Amino acid sequence: MAATIDADTRRKANLRVLQRIDSHIVDLAITATHVVLYEFNNLKRTWEKKNVEGSLFVTKRSEAPRFKLIVLNRSSTENLEVPITASFQMQVKEPYMIFRDSSASKAGADETIRGIWFHDGKERDQIASYLEQVVKSLVRIDEMERNHPPTQAFVVSDGEKEETARQDAGAALLSTLTLGSNNNHESTTASGAVPPARQEEGPGQPAATRSPLSTHQNLVLDKKSLQLSLLSLIQDERFLDLIHAQYLKVVHTRATRQTQSQQKENGTDK
């Protein structure tokens, strides 16, 4: 129990540190204990170690880019920050996770090829797998946006911005998937819980701190917006837990009905 509390406390502390770097960060998706950054020198055709090493975090953000990779640098005050977009390219090649940093691309210039060395190979594989899923989702979203240009995706009242309404979409969907009366107070966005210190921000506060009732009154999702929201929510374990619980409930109900039907048939035969 103590280990769980310590891990949760450490996670909240890391989240607060990251939010000082980027105020739009709302949750931690996945982390790695210790990594070292390398950069490929095209002229020398060799990997060169950079002055960046420390803990790695894949974060969720309240605005685009929705995901960002950050290494909190223990060697200097310059951290590594890499936006994860649909154009993010990555592959695992021992002992590195190699990626192209699109933020380093200038007009007509080649993108920087970087490699991250992980102290724990299992953490590298987990990070790479998660990023692969994220990029696939972002690619699908981009394809939908190209094939179906946005119209009036949300109906927003009281002068709220469309971006705020998009953040509310996750809460609106989750709040309809309640498993009991206690769950009515646990609806949250796909980006996760926000520390109490950030729940006093006023009009710009995250969707998790606003009433689900007001969200339903101000928000209307069309088919495309529903797709975008579901693609975001599918990355959230809590959303999957709710879906799985509902699935088990349906399976149990169906099995009960089949058993009752068989018992009635057996009674009729007699």
Side-chain angles (χ1 to χ4, degrees):
M1 182 67 179
T4 303
I5 295 176
D6 290 343
D8 185 60
T9 301
R10 182 168 58 252
R11 180 181 180 280
K12 290 180 178 179
N14 286 330
L15 181 57
R16 287 194 293 268
V17 171
L18 291 165
Q19 287 172 331
R20 287 197 289 269
I21 297 173
D22 183 346
S23 61
H24 294 294
I25 291 175
V26 293
D27 199 7
L28 304 181
I30 190 170
T31 67
T33 307
H34 186 76
V35 302
V36 180
L37 178 66
Y38 287 79
E39 189 171 301
F40 188 72
N41 188 314
N42 282 315
L43 296 178
K44 298 180 180 179
R45 309 301 296 175
T46 58
W47 287 99
E48 297 179 347
K49 182 179 178 181
K50 309 301 290 184
N51 190 34
V52 177
E53 60 179 296
S55 298
L56 179 148
F57 303 89
V58 177
T59 64
K60 297 180 181 180
R61 306 178 74 252
S62 60
E63 66 176 33
R66 291 293 183 176
F67 297 86
K68 180 186 283 189
L69 182 153
I70 297 178
V71 175
L72 290 180
N73 195 2
R74 298 174 184 171
S75 300
S76 74
T77 57
E78 184 178 353
N79 300 309
L80 174 68
E81 298 185 42
V82 182
I84 307 300
T85 65
S87 60
F88 182 82
Q89 297 178 340
M90 174 205 66
Q91 65 173 318
V92 174
K93 189 173 182 180
E94 289 283 355
Y96 307 107
M97 182 185 80
I98 302 172
F99 65 95
R100 289 183 181 271
D101 182 1
S102 59
S103 65
S105 178
K106 304 300 181 182
D110 292 334
E111 294 179 351
T112 302
I113 300 177
R114 292 177 172 176
I116 295 179
W117 175 88
F118 287 76
H119 174 72
D120 188 333
K122 291 183 180 180
E123 288 184 337
R124 178 196 60 215
D125 294 339
Q126 291 170 353
I127 294 287
S129 176
Y130 183 83
L131 289 176
E132 183 179 5
Q133 294 177 16
V134 168
V135 173
K136 285 181 179 179
S137 296
L138 294 174
V139 169
R140 288 196 294 269
I141 291 173
D142 277 5
E143 290 175 350
M144 285 190 293
E145 290 180 343
R146 286 196 300 270
N147 296 332
H148 305 282
T151 53
Q152 184 67 22
F154 300 95
V155 176
V156 184
S157 66
D158 299 330
E160 289 187 48
K161 295 181 180 180
E162 181 176 336
E163 184 60 31
T164 302
R166 184 179 293 274
Q167 294 172 31
D168 289 344
L173 289 173
L174 279 176
S175 63
T176 62
L177 294 172
T178 56
L179 303 182
S181 58
N182 291 337
N183 284 0
N184 291 336
H185 302 287
E186 296 177 356
S187 297
T188 180
T189 61
S191 57
V194 180
R198 289 182 56 79
Q199 294 182 354
E200 302 174 355
E201 297 182 356
Q205 68 189 93
T209 65
R210 289 194 292 274
S211 168
L213 179 60
S214 64
T215 297
H216 289 307
Q217 293 174 340
N218 297 338
L219 179 63
V220 177
L221 291 176
D222 60 16
K223 183 177 179 181
K224 177 174 175 292
S225 300
L226 177 63
Q227 289 177 316
L228 298 178
S229 299
L230 288 174
L231 284 172
S232 175
L233 287 170
I234 204 65
Q235 306 291 338
D236 193 297
E237 288 295 331
R238 287 162 296 182
F239 177 74
L240 295 178
D241 288 342
L242 289 173
I243 293 294
H244 187 249
Q246 291 287 359
Y247 164 75
L248 293 178
K249 183 177 179 181
V250 171
V251 170
H252 176 72
T253 301
R254 184 179 299 169
T256 301
R257 289 177 179 174
Q258 289 177 346
T259 300
Q260 293 174 346
S261 177
Q262 290 175 356
Q263 290 175 347
K264 289 181 180 179
E265 291 177 359
N266 293 336
T268 302
D269 292 341
K270 292 179 180 180

